[in-house]
Amino acid sequence: MTDDTPRDFIRQIIHDDLESGKHDQIVTRFPPEPNGYLHVGHVMSICLNFGVTEETGGQTYLRFDDTNPGKEDVEYVQAIEEDVRWLGFDWGQRLTHASDYFERIYAAAEQLVERGLAYVDSLSAEEIREYRGTLTEPGKNSPYRERSVEENLDLLRRMRAGEFADGEQVLRAKIDMASPNINLRDPALYRVRHVAHQATGDQWCIYPMYDFAHTMSDAFEGITHSLCTLEFEDHRPLYNWFLDQLQPQHRPRQIEFSRLNLAYTLTSKRKLNALVAENIVSGWNDPRMPTIAGMRRRGYPASALRDFVTRAGVTKKDKLIEMGMLENSVRESLGDTAMRRMAVLRPLKVILSNYPEGQVEMMTAMNHPNDPDMGTRDVPFTRELWIEQDDFMEEAPRKFFRLKPGGEVRLRSAYIIQCDEVIKDEQGNVVELHCSYDPDTRSGTGSSDRKVKGTIHWVSAAQAVDAEVRLYDRLFTAVNPNKADDFRTVLNPDSLVTANAKLEPALAELAPGTPVQFERLGYFCVDTQDDAASARVFNRIVTLRDSWAKLERQALESENQAGTSPSRK
Ligand code: ATP
Ligand code: MG
């Protein structure tokens, strides 16, 4: 495989269409419905649609599919624009709305009526459902199917003029009520809805159905490749029927790919909406949410998300992808760039009995162990320190190379200390360690090359900065919460654990959103929420190692083998 071999079947098609001269330039669109925030699945669609044109010098539209007034909101429109831009893509002048084309879509509908290819049906919604048939039985023709062109045109215009109530009339394509493909059984094109629209206000009381609006918008914009998810495969014959009948100047080609589904995650806007509405999470941008806004606030870099979807690839096969893969992309993207700092999440006091009271030594610590160019910082060292509770064990097994009674450990960038005495409270909890330091072992001075097995992190008590640290984990305990009867029953009760941490002073100046590595603990950033920033809240972006890896791989294997891919909504 050479470097310019297209990396997936869609890029192959695009490559071939450019080679053969079928198209001089590729035009795609990302068409979200502004009824919720974008999630990790959308990242894939965005990277695909904008990616293929970035790679070939084409153009991509950001088109809001706003055909469902009432469910849509400007908050979502703004969030979507921000999210796409943050991912690193630019639509230039090509920001459009399905509603921009309402007049032209309507004209196309009249054209279908005039050519006897569409009719106004006066059956009720329930009757239409009954007449439609089932997967095994053909449907039957509506008694209104043979209305004359004149009557249909008149009724359609009166629908538009507001003479009918919601549901009283519906414009349908006249295709085939016996088609094995239910989408071709005279699908609805326009319905009456007396609802104001966020962009067109009260101008319309009829709205085009998604399939019709979407096909026509693609054609009007000269989209060459209309890339969508597999659930639209059965709609493709309808998409092509519109194009065949109306013969627009540009004929887009619809190509389907499989949805990106992430283990332990939901990617349905409806369910994500429920998480927000029911206050199960703090909002669309809760750092546990698989939304772009949530992942950004959590501290995931945009480059990590792009890298992740590239690795996940574009395929036709439905499958669940490991959360560990996304987290690995995050770790990789932070590993070389995030500065190292020390923080203690569950503090245990250490007193160095042979260290002078009141003395402060400035220790020099590297900002990155592998990159001297990232410089150093000073870390104060004093008689009273905090270490991690976990780094001390009273009854330690032989292989425990951290601190134990009588044992020695190195404090990162400082001295070797030895534990002399364990102080306990009345309940027998360890509350303090009395230790002694070896003055000949100061890091970087070379005065002694004495080595000990373990190195732990620490923070000087007098200069420590207090902070709330939010330790985020998977939101669900089930590998495929989509399949649970009720996703509320598989929530992870420990998806958010908070710790009152002690930080080294350099962390007080960290700008919100900037990722750092807390040594030995993971990657963290100051939360970007205003109130949180003033209170100094840190989010855990990701741990250093994948503690779920084994569990997740096993669960996924059986999940993907059973062919129980998540429902296609
Ligand atoms: P949801 O099911 O979450 O409501 P949707 O398909 O209704 O998603 P849209 O706003 O219509 O959301 O999606 C915009 C585009 O993103 C569509 O082209 C859709 O196919 C694509 N998309 C949505 N979810 C995924 C996913 N999980 N993986 C890949 N592409 C997706
Ligand atoms: Mg959709």
Side-chain angles (χ1 to χ4, degrees):
M1 199 154 112
T2 60
D3 272 345
D4 48 13
T5 306
R7 65 172 188 261
D8 55 61
F9 75 100
I10 289 179
R11 286 177 166 86
Q12 183 69 54
I13 292 170
I14 284 172
H15 172 89
D16 294 347
D17 286 349
L18 287 169
E19 288 268 288
S20 72
K22 181 176 177 193
H23 299 292
D24 298 332
Q25 197 188 36
I26 302 304
V27 186
T28 59
R29 83 289 168 272
F30 172 63
E33 183 179 352
N35 61 350
Y37 279 59
L38 299 178
H39 53 63
V40 63
H42 293 114
V43 174
M44 169 174 194
S45 181
I46 294 166
C47 290
L48 177 62
N49 278 292
F50 282 91
V52 295
T53 58
E54 206 169 76
E55 292 153 22
T56 60
Q59 303 192 326
T60 299
Y61 286 82
L62 172 60
R63 184 204 307 146
F64 288 103
D65 159 30
D66 55 353
T67 51
N68 243 330
K71 280 207 293 179
E72 295 156 1
D73 202 303
V74 271
E75 178 197 346
Y76 298 139
V77 170
Q78 284 165 359
I80 289 169
E81 289 181 35
E82 187 184 352
D83 289 347
V84 175
R85 217 176 279 120
W86 176 76
L87 273 178
F89 298 108
D90 181 9
W91 52 85
Q93 304 299 308
R94 293 170 293 281
L95 179 74
T96 58
H97 306 80
S99 59
D100 299 343
Y101 309 120
F102 276 176
E103 201 60 60
R104 291 172 78 185
I105 296 169
Y106 176 80
E110 282 208 354
Q111 226 183 314
L112 289 175
V113 169
E114 278 162 3
R115 294 178 37 211
L117 295 167
Y119 62 99
V120 174
D121 199 346
S122 309
L123 290 180
S124 70
E126 197 172 317
E127 288 165 326
I128 288 180
R129 219 171 297 127
E130 281 164 20
Y131 275 70
R132 186 174 294 134
T134 64
L135 283 172
T136 49
E137 283 165 57
K140 22 174 218 183
N141 288 351
S142 161
Y144 303 100
R145 199 173 195 260
E146 299 309 327
R147 278 173 163 156
S148 68
V149 167
E150 292 67 36
E151 190 181 1
N152 280 322
L153 207 50
D154 176 58
L155 284 169
L156 175 58
R157 287 176 181 166
R158 286 168 55 200
M159 276 169 70
R160 178 179 181 169
E163 290 186 25
F164 300 108
D166 290 10
E168 213 179 325
Q169 311 285 359
V170 56
L171 181 73
R172 302 177 69 178
K174 195 171 183 176
I175 307 180
D176 180 6
M177 289 305 293
S179 171
N181 184 339
I182 292 186
N183 294 300
L184 295 181
R185 292 185 192 168
D186 293 8
L189 301 180
Y190 265 95
R191 67 231 189 278
V192 178
R193 285 193 66 200
H194 291 271
V195 177
H197 185 280
Q198 46 148 339
T200 58
D202 293 325
Q203 210 182 320
W204 294 87
C205 62
I206 59 173
Y207 292 97
M209 299 301 289
Y210 176 80
D211 283 315
F212 187 45
H214 186 245
T215 313
M216 297 321 296
S217 306
D218 280 353
F220 296 151
E221 287 172 356
I223 302 301
T224 55
H225 299 79
S226 179
L227 311 176
C228 61
T229 34
L230 275 175
E231 71 268 23
F232 293 103
E233 198 168 22
D234 296 343
H235 297 238
R236 178 157 28 97
L238 178 58
Y239 190 91
N240 287 336
W241 185 87
F242 292 131
L243 298 175
D244 290 342
Q245 303 310 324
L246 290 161
Q247 293 289 325
Q249 188 193 342
H250 299 285
R251 187 185 172 100
R253 169 175 176 192
Q254 175 176 311
I255 305 169
E256 309 86 19
F257 60 94
S258 63
R259 296 174 79 86
L260 183 137
N261 298 297
L262 199 55
Y264 299 103
T265 308
L266 289 176
T267 43
S268 143
K269 272 189 276 185
R270 189 176 54 79
K271 290 177 183 170
L272 295 177
N273 204 335
L275 289 173
V276 176
E278 296 169 27
N279 290 317
I280 295 170
V281 294
S282 66
W284 283 100
N285 70 345
D286 185 299
R288 291 166 294 179
M289 290 283 270
T291 51
I292 299 179
M295 295 188 289
R296 173 169 64 236
R297 182 172 160 202
R298 172 92 168 246
Y300 287 10
S303 61
L305 292 180
R306 291 198 307 266
D307 175 66
F308 165 65
V309 298
T310 304
R311 288 180 196 214
V314 178
T315 67
K316 280 252 183 208
K317 216 167 64 198
D318 253 339
K319 65 170 183 190
L320 272 181
I321 295 188
E322 280 172 64
M323 180 72 112
M325 190 164 148
L326 170 57
E327 292 176 344
N328 262 335
S329 290
V330 174
R331 283 186 196 103
E332 268 182 36
S333 122
L334 295 176
D336 292 339
T337 53
M339 294 224 187
R340 273 39 172 181
R341 293 289 183 262
M342 290 197 284
V344 175
L345 297 187
R346 294 180 181 88
L348 171 63
K349 178 68 76 68
V350 164
I351 296 182
L352 301 176
S353 29
N354 63 339
Y355 196 87
E357 255 176 87
Q359 177 170 311
V360 182
E361 259 178 290
M362 285 310 205
M363 300 298 176
T364 305
M366 288 184 76
N367 287 330
H368 196 290
N370 310 327
D371 186 358
D373 288 346
M374 284 171 76
T376 60
R377 68 194 187 279
D378 287 343
V379 187
F381 185 87
T382 62
R383 178 182 161 89
E384 291 194 17
L385 312 170
W386 297 110
I387 67 165
E388 214 66 64
Q389 288 169 17
D390 278 1
D391 283 335
F392 171 77
M393 250 181 120
E394 200 172 15
E395 315 274 344
R398 229 165 44 88
K399 295 254 158 159
F400 186 81
F401 297 123
R402 290 167 273 166
L403 204 54
K404 51 191 164 193
E408 282 189 318
V409 77
R410 174 171 285 286
L411 298 177
R412 170 88 87 221
S413 309
Y415 296 98
I416 292 174
I417 63 168
Q418 173 175 323
C419 177
D420 306 319
E421 195 185 349
V422 181
I423 314 293
K424 296 184 184 174
D425 64 12
E426 278 153 20
Q427 286 81 45
N429 302 312
V430 176
V431 290
E432 206 170 277
L433 301 177
H434 289 185
C435 302
S436 46
Y437 85 113
D438 177 350
D440 291 335
T441 56
R442 182 172 162 153
S443 267
T445 58
S447 56
S448 158
D449 54 7
R450 205 152 72 73
K451 288 216 163 47
V452 288
K453 274 242 160 89
T455 300
I456 63 174
H457 59 275
W458 54 276
V459 168
S460 166
Q463 295 83 0
V465 177
D466 287 303
E468 176 184 327
V469 176
R470 296 182 181 159
L471 306 169
Y472 296 108
D473 205 337
R474 312 269 196 275
L475 193 49
F476 296 96
T477 51
V479 69
N480 189 355
N482 266 310
K483 274 197 350 197
D485 291 335
D486 182 353
F487 60 83
R488 294 165 192 84
T489 60
V490 291
L491 285 163
N492 176 5
D494 300 321
S495 62
L496 169 56
V497 172
T498 57
N500 294 315
K502 302 286 183 186
L503 316 180
E504 68 162 273
L507 283 167
E509 280 121 56
L510 190 69
T514 307
V516 290
Q517 185 191 102
F518 288 178
E519 296 228 26
R520 302 176 62 230
L521 298 174
Y523 294 95
F524 294 78
C525 65
V526 177
D527 193 68
T528 46
Q529 212 67 343
D530 287 348
D531 54 331
S534 53
R536 271 254 138 225
V537 168
F538 279 74
N539 296 327
R540 180 166 71 196
I541 305 171
V542 68
T543 52
L544 291 182
R545 270 171 298 278
D546 185 357
S547 56
W548 288 64
K550 222 171 127 193
L551 198 78
E552 179 166 24
R553 210 147 299 149
Q554 284 165 356
L556 270 176
E557 235 161 66
S558 48
E559 184 78 9
N560 283 329
Q561 257 169 22
T564 47
S565 54
S567 66
R568 290 189 191 167
K569 73 188 242 183

